[in-house]
Amino acid sequence: MANTTKDRRVPMQVLSLGMPRTGTASIREALRILLDEPVYHAFELLDHVDHCPRWEAAITAKFSEKDRLSPLAQQQRQHLDEMLPLGDYAAVTDMPAVCFAEEMVAAYPHAKVILVERDIESWFRSFDSIIAAPMFHPANNIIAAIDLWFLGPVARVHHSWIRGWFGARTLEEMRSGARGHYRDYYAMVRRVTPPERLLEYELGSGWEPLCEFLGKPVPDVPFPKVNESAVMEGKFTSILARARRSIAYNFGVYVLPAAVAAGGTWWYYRR
């Protein structure tokens, strides 16, 4: 099975398949240094809103009972790059890519797999406060519903994987099933990944085990230590501010002129 398609700019080299809130931002920065290529992380959606429809369609298809993509047929795996916007990326980490962990392990047989696991209770507290609770906050979802141009598409992708991957439609359902899903997910990745392709990396181990596994020289810079909670909180504040600007801009450019034109037309024919 080919590791690339005609539309792929670089080969897929690394699949970092740890769950969100397991140091994915630090791993992303480390892989960018080692590979000198872009790495797909959830943050990419903020700069590439045009990717959102493809992610949403793929997630919906995978987890729908009518058209389940997991496990993908061989022909579908060969066209994974056409389904997901990954052709310009040499590695992936975090959501929404890890929803397709099983498919990517099969679709990119030459890619190395990195797995970072965290104490489950520590992970749950972080995941719940930084991801789960904000995703179900009514005010945030009202802004997403109004902002059809930026936050709306991004939020739909995240709600799609929450509903499909976690099987949760409420915060309570997500919380009740999170730990079980976490355990099942790590068991699945270990089951489908050949041992020679898998590195179980412990954050804090530095460059050496990662570089040895990937066959890369050790960089002469410190291993990245990204404070993910601070970054996520900052990103979330920035996202809401950008969403408000998006609403104001698009209302002024599209909605208000259309409303004025409609009102003028109504007034003209009413005379």
Side-chain angles (χ1 to χ4, degrees):
M1 190 181 305
N3 190 37
T4 63
T5 70
K6 63 181 180 180
D7 297 322
R8 174 162 283 283
R9 185 184 64 81
V10 293
M12 181 64 75
Q13 300 179 48
V14 181
L15 307 173
S16 178
L17 300 180
M19 286 278 284
R21 309 304 301 148
T22 60
T24 57
S26 296
I27 291 293
R28 175 202 191 197
E29 293 306 311
L31 291 176
R32 288 168 68 173
I33 293 170
L34 293 178
L35 305 179
D36 195 27
E37 292 287 355
V39 177
Y40 210 101
H41 184 281
F43 294 160
E44 292 293 301
L45 293 177
L46 306 180
D47 297 321
H48 301 282
V49 179
D50 57 304
H51 291 180
C52 291
R54 292 173 67 184
W55 283 114
E56 186 180 3
I59 292 168
T60 300
K62 171 170 178 171
F63 294 107
S64 69
E65 294 181 0
K66 181 180 179 180
D67 183 21
R68 191 165 179 81
L69 297 181
S70 182
L72 289 173
Q74 181 169 323
Q75 182 179 5
Q76 290 171 310
R77 284 183 173 138
Q78 289 175 332
H79 298 286
L80 193 63
D81 282 335
E82 297 173 15
M83 298 162 54
L84 306 178
L86 300 176
D88 290 329
Y89 298 84
V92 300
T93 187
D94 205 79
M95 301 303 305
V98 296
C99 282
F100 298 90
E102 183 176 4
E103 290 81 8
M104 289 190 295
V105 169
Y108 306 117
H110 303 296
K112 300 290 186 72
V113 177
I114 298 169
L115 199 59
V116 179
E117 190 170 5
R118 184 175 177 181
D119 170 76
I120 193 168
E121 292 305 321
S122 174
W123 169 81
F124 177 81
R125 289 190 297 271
S126 178
F127 181 82
D128 183 63
S129 63
I130 301 296
I131 295 180
M135 286 300 299
F136 284 99
H137 195 287
N140 298 335
N141 287 315
I142 289 173
I143 295 174
I146 297 172
D147 180 12
L148 306 178
W149 307 273
F150 169 61
L151 185 56
V154 174
R156 283 198 301 273
V157 171
H158 288 294
H159 281 288
S160 293
W161 67 256
I162 287 171
R163 287 193 302 269
W165 207 41
F166 274 79
R169 293 187 174 273
T170 66
L171 180 57
E172 290 71 26
E173 288 178 353
M174 194 162 187
R175 285 171 170 166
S176 66
R179 293 177 180 86
H181 179 77
Y182 185 89
R183 296 186 184 97
D184 291 345
Y185 172 77
Y186 278 93
M188 179 274 293
V189 174
R190 293 181 175 108
R191 184 179 67 251
V192 302
T193 306
E196 66 275 11
R197 290 176 58 191
L198 178 64
L199 171 67
E200 302 227 16
Y201 180 79
E202 184 176 348
L203 284 178
S205 299
W207 287 114
E208 284 73 13
L210 194 58
C211 292
E212 180 180 357
F213 179 65
L214 298 178
K216 300 289 184 180
V218 175
D220 58 356
V221 296
F223 192 93
K225 294 182 179 180
V226 180
N227 184 332
E228 289 199 38
S229 295
V231 170
M232 287 291 291
E233 289 172 1
K235 285 280 186 183
F236 197 71
T237 299
S238 174
I239 288 168
L240 292 179
R242 183 174 171 184
R244 288 190 289 267
R245 292 195 299 271
S246 173
I247 293 169
Y249 173 82
N250 286 284
F251 182 84
V253 171
Y254 301 110
V255 178
L256 186 58
V260 170
T265 301
W266 173 82
W267 180 83
Y268 178 82
Y269 285 105
R270 185 174 179 272
R271 290 187 304 167

